[in-house]
Amino acid sequence: MLIDNLSLYLEEKKFLKDLEEKSRSLKIPVISIETGAFLEFAVLLKKPKKLLEIGCGNGFSTYFLVKNLKICSSYTGIDLSKSRLFLAESFIRERFHGVEMEFISGNALDVIVDLDKKFDFVFIDAAKFEYPGYLEVILKKLNKGALIIADNIFYNGKIFSQTPLRHDKKSVKGIKEYLKMITSNNMITTELIDIGDGLAISIYGDGPDG
Ligand SMILES: C[S@@+](CC[C@H](N)C(=O)[O-])C[C@H]1O[C@@H](n2cnc3c(N)ncnc32)[C@H](O)[C@@H]1O
């Protein structure tokens, strides 16, 4: 859709807004539309052949990730929740064709170890306390130059608090540990971007030892 069919942009805008609101009303957490637009753009530039999403939920973020994937690329989405994964798979398969897709239900920490592929784009948006664990398992499954984008790095501002609430402590600890890991790994360079709830954008194979 380009200049000839501007009404399609309006339709898409409304569709995404409705889906975002519906998800939030059903208490299904989803990324912000701004974060989605950023992911859409990142995929457009990076042109990944193999994309992995950890925590695809009901497929809202998946929409932005898959939208600009080239035909013959592949998408792998993982989520612990079978019901959310089912929603994601039916919605995304109906909308997008030509991209190879797999939707796997299970704990990403176990599932990724068994994947027989290397990725060049990974989006992380699952349990915050497990971010360090996801990084450990994906590091063995990355092509040089791979982009790793992690959401919720500012965790609604809680990451800046010296005294996070008790029920946020594990998540805050996980995010901080993840940030330490990506900034101390000599194979990785990272920038934090203040979009949505904060994104950590890392490039694997681009650090001092990359
Ligand atoms: C914030 S939601 C994802 C939202 C989704 N990315 C979106 O914006 O549409 C986090 C998801 O991670 C999933 N999750 C949590 N821990 C997980 C794990 N260890 N492995 C796979 N999925 C996990 C949850 O079931 C939940 O659907």
Side-chain angles (χ1 to χ4, degrees), residues 29-31 53 55-61 78-81 84 106-108 123 125-128 130 134:
V30 291
I31 56 168
E53 180 175 26
C56 60
N58 68 344
F60 185 70
S61 49
I78 306 172
D79 205 285
L80 260 186
S81 157
R84 285 185 192 168
N107 188 328
F123 178 53
D125 186 22
K128 313 310 156 213
E130 287 181 339
Y134 304 144

Side-chain angles (χ1 to χ4, degrees), residues 125-142:
D125 186 22
K128 313 310 156 213
F129 74 95
E130 287 181 339
Y131 274 28
Y134 304 144
L135 185 67
E136 258 172 44
V137 290
I138 60 169
L139 280 176
K140 298 179 186 101
K141 305 280 173 178
L142 297 176

Side-chain angles (χ1 to χ4, degrees), residues 45-96:
L45 289 185
K46 175 72 185 152
K47 301 183 181 61
K49 290 204 170 59
K50 292 193 168 42
L51 190 154
L52 170 68
E53 180 175 26
I54 304 176
C56 60
N58 68 344
F60 185 70
S61 49
T62 314
Y63 178 94
F64 300 95
L65 291 168
V66 170
K67 186 179 165 189
N68 287 323
L69 271 185
K70 300 276 176 226
I71 306 262
C72 300
S73 313
S74 80
Y75 166 86
T76 303
I78 306 172
D79 205 285
L80 260 186
S81 157
K82 278 194 179 147
S83 56
R84 285 185 192 168
L85 195 88
F86 175 78
L87 289 173
E89 178 159 17
S90 26
F91 154 55
I92 296 296
R93 283 199 192 279
E94 189 189 309
R95 290 226 150 214
F96 299 104

Side-chain angles (χ1 to χ4, degrees), residues 51-52 54 119-124 138 142 147-150:
L51 190 154
L52 170 68
I54 304 176
F119 296 93
D120 29 38
F121 194 120
V122 181
F123 178 53
I124 304 177
I138 60 169
L142 297 176
L147 202 59
I148 311 162
I149 304 186

Side-chain angles (χ1 to χ4, degrees), residues 15-208:
F15 167 76
L16 291 170
K17 191 80 207 140
D18 289 350
L19 184 57
E20 184 194 27
E21 279 168 9
K22 188 173 165 209
S23 307
R24 293 195 198 282
S25 73
L26 293 171
K27 305 238 178 303
I28 300 178
V30 291
I31 56 168
S32 68
I33 288 189
E34 292 70 30
T35 301
F38 180 87
L39 293 177
E40 190 180 323
F41 184 56
V43 171
L44 190 69
L45 289 185
K46 175 72 185 152
K47 301 183 181 61
K49 290 204 170 59
K50 292 193 168 42
L51 190 154
L52 170 68
E53 180 175 26
I54 304 176
C56 60
N58 68 344
F60 185 70
S61 49
T62 314
Y63 178 94
F64 300 95
L65 291 168
V66 170
K67 186 179 165 189
N68 287 323
L69 271 185
K70 300 276 176 226
I71 306 262
C72 300
S73 313
S74 80
Y75 166 86
T76 303
I78 306 172
D79 205 285
L80 260 186
S81 157
K82 278 194 179 147
S83 56
R84 285 185 192 168
L85 195 88
F86 175 78
L87 289 173
E89 178 159 17
S90 26
F91 154 55
I92 296 296
R93 283 199 192 279
E94 189 189 309
R95 290 226 150 214
F96 299 104
H97 305 276
V99 169
E100 192 191 303
M101 298 183 210
E102 56 177 347
F103 290 83
I104 307 172
S105 99
N107 188 328
L109 294 172
D110 305 323
V111 171
I112 294 170
V113 174
D114 292 334
L115 292 177
D116 190 17
K117 298 184 179 174
K118 289 208 164 184
F119 296 93
D120 29 38
F121 194 120
V122 181
F123 178 53
I124 304 177
D125 186 22
K128 313 310 156 213
F129 74 95
E130 287 181 339
Y131 274 28
Y134 304 144
L135 185 67
E136 258 172 44
V137 290
I138 60 169
L139 280 176
K140 298 179 186 101
K141 305 280 173 178
L142 297 176
N143 286 320
K144 196 160 187 254
L147 202 59
I148 311 162
I149 304 186
D151 192 28
N152 304 110
I153 284 306
F154 298 153
Y155 197 35
N156 218 2
K158 293 168 194 165
I159 206 76
F160 306 110
S161 165
Q162 295 302 315
T163 50
L165 296 175
R166 204 163 141 224
H167 73 274
D168 292 327
K169 273 191 181 159
K170 265 169 73 178
S171 300
V172 168
K173 186 169 175 262
I175 296 168
K176 285 191 172 165
E177 179 61 28
Y178 177 83
L179 291 173
K180 261 191 219 147
M181 286 168 80
I182 48 177
T183 46
S184 63
N185 185 316
N186 282 343
M187 289 292 288
I188 297 176
T189 53
T190 297
E191 292 293 334
L192 303 188
I193 302 201
D194 189 6
I195 291 181
D197 198 17
L199 295 175
I201 322 278
S202 307
I203 305 176
Y204 174 78
D206 195 33

